Structures are given as C-alpha cells and as structure tokens.
Coordinates of all heavy atoms in Angstrom, one line a residue:
C1 N -12.4 18.9 -8.8 CA -11.9 20.0 -8.0 C -10.6 19.5 -7.2 O -10.2 18.4 -7.4 CB -13.0 20.4 -6.9 SG -13.5 19.1 -5.9
I2 N -10.1 20.4 -6.5 CA -8.9 20.1 -5.7 C -9.2 20.2 -4.2 O -10.2 20.8 -3.8 CB -7.7 21.0 -6.0 CG1 -8.1 22.5 -5.7 CG2 -7.3 20.8 -7.5 CD1 -6.9 23.4 -5.7
E3 N -8.4 19.6 -3.4 CA -8.4 19.8 -2.0 C -7.1 20.5 -1.5 O -6.1 20.3 -2.1 CB -8.5 18.4 -1.3 CG -9.8 17.7 -1.6 CD -9.8 16.3 -1.0 OE1 -8.8 15.6 -1.0 OE2 -10.9 16.0 -0.4
V4 N -7.2 21.3 -0.5 CA -6.1 22.0 0.0 C -5.9 21.7 1.5 O -6.9 21.7 2.3 CB -6.3 23.5 -0.2 CG1 -5.2 24.3 0.5 CG2 -6.4 23.9 -1.6
A5 N -4.7 21.5 1.9 CA -4.4 21.4 3.4 C -3.4 22.5 3.7 O -2.3 22.5 3.2 CB -3.8 20.0 3.7
K6 N -3.8 23.5 4.5 CA -2.9 24.6 4.9 C -2.0 24.1 6.0 O -2.4 23.4 6.9 CB -3.7 25.8 5.3 CG -4.5 26.4 4.2 CD -5.3 27.6 4.6 CE -6.5 27.2 5.3 NZ -7.4 28.3 5.7
T7 N -0.7 24.6 5.9 CA 0.3 24.3 6.9 C 1.1 25.5 7.3 O 0.9 26.5 6.6 CB 1.3 23.2 6.4 OG1 2.1 23.7 5.4 CG2 0.6 21.9 5.9
T8 N 1.9 25.5 8.3 CA 2.7 26.6 8.6 C 3.8 26.9 7.5 O 4.3 28.0 7.4 CB 3.4 26.4 9.9 OG1 4.2 25.2 9.9 CG2 2.5 26.4 11.1
G9 N 4.0 25.8 6.7 CA 5.0 26.0 5.6 C 4.3 26.1 4.3 O 4.9 25.8 3.2
G10 N 3.1 26.7 4.2 CA 2.4 26.9 2.9 C 1.2 26.0 2.8 O 0.3 26.2 3.7
A11 N 1.1 25.2 1.8 CA -0.1 24.4 1.6 C 0.3 23.1 0.8 O 1.3 23.1 0.1 CB -1.2 25.2 0.9
Y12 N -0.6 22.1 0.9 CA -0.5 21.0 0.0 C -1.8 21.0 -0.8 O -2.9 21.4 -0.3 CB -0.5 19.7 0.8 CG 0.9 19.5 1.5 CD1 1.1 19.9 2.8 CD2 1.9 18.7 0.8 CE1 2.4 19.7 3.4 CE2 3.1 18.5 1.4 CZ 3.3 19.0 2.7 OH 4.5 18.8 3.3
V13 N -1.7 20.6 -2.1 CA -2.8 20.6 -3.0 C -2.9 19.2 -3.6 O -1.8 18.7 -4.1 CB -2.7 21.7 -4.1 CG1 -3.8 21.7 -5.0 CG2 -2.4 23.0 -3.4
R14 N -4.1 18.7 -3.7 CA -4.2 17.4 -4.4 C -5.6 17.3 -5.2 O -6.5 18.1 -4.9 CB -4.2 16.2 -3.4 CG -5.4 16.1 -2.5 CD -5.2 15.0 -1.5 NE -6.4 14.9 -0.6 CZ -6.4 14.1 0.4 NH1 -5.4 13.2 0.7 NH2 -7.5 14.1 1.2
D15 N -5.6 16.4 -6.1 CA -6.7 16.2 -7.0 C -7.7 15.3 -6.3 O -7.3 14.2 -5.9 CB -6.3 15.6 -8.3 CG -7.4 15.5 -9.4 OD1 -8.6 15.6 -9.0 OD2 -7.0 15.2 -10.5
T16 N -9.0 15.7 -6.2 CA -10.0 14.8 -5.5 C -10.2 13.5 -6.3 O -10.7 12.5 -5.7 CB -11.3 15.5 -5.3 OG1 -11.8 16.0 -6.6 CG2 -11.2 16.7 -4.4
K17 N -10.0 13.5 -7.6 CA -10.2 12.3 -8.4 C -9.0 11.3 -8.3 O -9.2 10.2 -8.7 CB -10.4 12.7 -9.9 CG -11.7 13.4 -10.1 CD -11.9 13.6 -11.6 CE -11.0 14.7 -12.1 NZ -11.1 15.1 -13.4
D18 N -7.9 11.8 -7.8 CA -6.7 10.9 -7.7 C -5.9 11.1 -6.4 O -4.7 11.4 -6.5 CB -5.8 11.2 -9.0 CG -4.8 10.1 -9.2 OD1 -4.9 9.1 -8.6 OD2 -4.0 10.3 -10.1
R19 N -6.6 11.0 -5.3 CA -5.9 11.2 -4.0 C -4.7 10.3 -3.8 O -3.7 10.7 -3.2 CB -7.0 11.0 -2.9 CG -8.0 12.1 -2.8 CD -8.9 11.9 -1.7 NE -9.9 13.0 -1.7 CZ -11.2 12.8 -1.8 NH1 -11.7 11.6 -2.0 NH2 -12.1 13.8 -1.8
P20 N -4.8 9.0 -4.2 CA -3.6 8.2 -3.9 C -2.3 8.6 -4.6 O -1.2 8.3 -4.2 CB -4.0 6.8 -4.5 CG -5.5 6.8 -4.5 CD -5.9 8.3 -4.7
R21 N -2.5 9.5 -5.6 CA -1.3 10.0 -6.3 C -0.4 10.9 -5.5 O 0.7 11.1 -5.8 CB -1.7 10.7 -7.6 CG -0.6 11.0 -8.5 CD -1.1 11.5 -9.8 NE 0.0 11.6 -10.7 CZ -0.1 11.7 -12.0 NH1 -1.3 11.7 -12.6 NH2 1.0 11.7 -12.8
G22 N -1.0 11.4 -4.4 CA -0.2 12.3 -3.6 C -0.6 13.8 -3.7 O -1.6 14.1 -4.4
A23 N 0.2 14.6 -3.1 CA -0.1 16.0 -3.1 C 1.1 16.8 -3.5 O 2.2 16.4 -3.3 CB -0.6 16.5 -1.7
A24 N 0.9 18.0 -4.0 CA 1.9 18.9 -4.4 C 2.1 19.9 -3.2 O 1.1 20.5 -2.8 CB 1.6 19.7 -5.7
A25 N 3.3 20.1 -2.8 CA 3.6 21.1 -1.7 C 3.8 22.5 -2.4 O 4.5 22.6 -3.4 CB 4.8 20.7 -0.9
V26 N 3.3 23.5 -1.8 CA 3.4 24.9 -2.3 C 3.9 25.7 -1.1 O 3.3 25.7 0.0 CB 2.1 25.5 -2.8 CG1 2.3 26.8 -3.4 CG2 1.4 24.5 -3.8
A27 N 5.1 26.4 -1.3 CA 5.7 27.2 -0.3 C 4.8 28.4 0.0 O 3.9 28.8 -0.8 CB 7.0 27.7 -0.8
P28 N 5.0 29.0 1.2 CA 4.1 30.1 1.6 C 4.0 31.3 0.7 O 2.9 31.8 0.4 CB 4.7 30.6 3.0 CG 5.5 29.4 3.4 CD 6.0 28.7 2.2
R29 N 5.1 31.8 0.2 CA 5.0 33.0 -0.7 C 4.2 32.7 -2.0 O 3.3 33.5 -2.3 CB 6.4 33.5 -1.0 CG 6.3 34.8 -1.8 CD 7.7 35.4 -2.0 NE 7.6 36.6 -2.8 CZ 8.6 37.4 -3.0 NH1 9.8 37.1 -2.5 NH2 8.4 38.5 -3.8
P30 N 4.5 31.7 -2.8 CA 3.7 31.5 -4.0 C 2.3 31.1 -3.7 O 1.4 31.5 -4.4 CB 4.4 30.3 -4.7 CG 5.5 29.9 -3.9 CD 5.7 30.8 -2.7
W31 N 2.0 30.5 -2.5 CA 0.6 30.2 -2.2 C -0.1 31.4 -1.9 O -1.3 31.6 -2.3 CB 0.6 29.2 -0.9 CG -0.8 28.9 -0.6 CD1 -1.5 29.2 0.6 CD2 -1.7 28.1 -1.3 NE1 -2.7 28.7 0.6 CE2 -2.9 28.0 -0.6 CE3 -1.7 27.5 -2.6 CZ2 -4.1 27.3 -1.0 CZ3 -2.8 26.8 -3.0 CH2 -4.0 26.7 -2.3
G32 N 0.5 32.3 -1.1 CA -0.1 33.6 -0.9 C -0.4 34.4 -2.1 O -1.4 35.1 -2.3
E33 N 0.6 34.4 -3.1 CA 0.4 35.1 -4.3 C -0.7 34.5 -5.2 O -1.5 35.3 -5.8 CB 1.7 35.1 -5.1 CG 2.8 35.9 -4.5 CD 4.2 35.7 -5.1 OE1 4.4 34.8 -5.9 OE2 5.1 36.5 -4.7
F34 N -0.8 33.2 -5.1 CA -1.9 32.5 -5.8 C -3.3 33.0 -5.2 O -4.2 33.3 -6.0 CB -1.8 31.0 -5.8 CG -2.9 30.3 -6.3 CD1 -3.2 30.2 -7.6 CD2 -3.8 29.6 -5.4 CE1 -4.3 29.5 -8.1 CE2 -4.9 28.9 -5.8 CZ -5.2 28.9 -7.2
L35 N -3.4 32.9 -3.9 CA -4.6 33.3 -3.3 C -5.0 34.8 -3.6 O -6.2 35.1 -3.8 CB -4.6 33.1 -1.8 CG -4.5 31.6 -1.3 CD1 -4.4 31.6 0.2 CD2 -5.6 30.8 -1.8
T36 N -4.0 35.6 -3.6 CA -4.3 37.0 -3.9 C -4.8 37.2 -5.3 O -5.7 37.9 -5.6 CB -3.0 37.9 -3.7 OG1 -2.6 37.8 -2.3 CG2 -3.2 39.3 -4.1
A37 N -4.2 36.5 -6.2 CA -4.6 36.5 -7.7 C -6.0 36.0 -7.8 O -6.8 36.6 -8.6 CB -3.7 35.7 -8.5
V38 N -6.4 34.9 -7.1 CA -7.7 34.4 -7.2 C -8.7 35.4 -6.6 O -9.8 35.7 -7.2 CB -7.9 33.1 -6.4 CG1 -9.3 32.7 -6.2 CG2 -7.1 32.0 -7.1
K39 N -8.4 36.0 -5.5 CA -9.3 36.9 -4.8 C -9.5 38.2 -5.6 O -10.6 38.9 -5.5 CB -8.8 37.2 -3.4 CG -8.9 36.0 -2.5 CD -8.3 36.4 -1.1 CE -8.3 35.1 -0.2 NZ -7.7 35.4 1.1
T40 N -8.5 38.7 -6.3 CA -8.6 39.9 -7.0 C -8.9 39.8 -8.5 O -8.9 40.8 -9.3 CB -7.2 40.7 -6.9 OG1 -6.2 39.9 -7.5 CG2 -6.9 41.0 -5.5

C-alpha cells in the first residue's frame, strides 16, 4: 500500500515497502482530481 501526507500544497505519497526512497509530491489540483476519480 501507500502512505499519504496531506499538506497545504497538495500531498506527498510514498511506498510503505520502500520509505527510505522518499516521497512523490503531488500538486493540489491533480491530487484533488485523483481523489475525485477514486471516489466516483
């Protein structure tokens, strides 16, 4: 699975199996679009 950290500037996403590798930053608009797609 993944872990998510929400911020005022969007979110960070990382792999739970490889936390030391770091996280990917996602800007607010694409993050919101992704969440909408998941929910719908």
Side-chain angles (χ1 to χ4, degrees):
C1 58
I2 61 166
E3 294 175 317
V4 175
K6 295 182 276 184
T7 69
T8 56
Y12 287 90
V13 182
R14 69 182 180 185
D15 185 347
T16 58
K17 292 184 286 185
D18 197 6
R19 289 182 182 118
R21 189 172 192 163
V26 184
R29 185 174 178 175
W31 182 247
E33 291 170 351
F34 170 74
L35 292 179
T36 298
V38 169
K39 291 175 184 178
T40 61

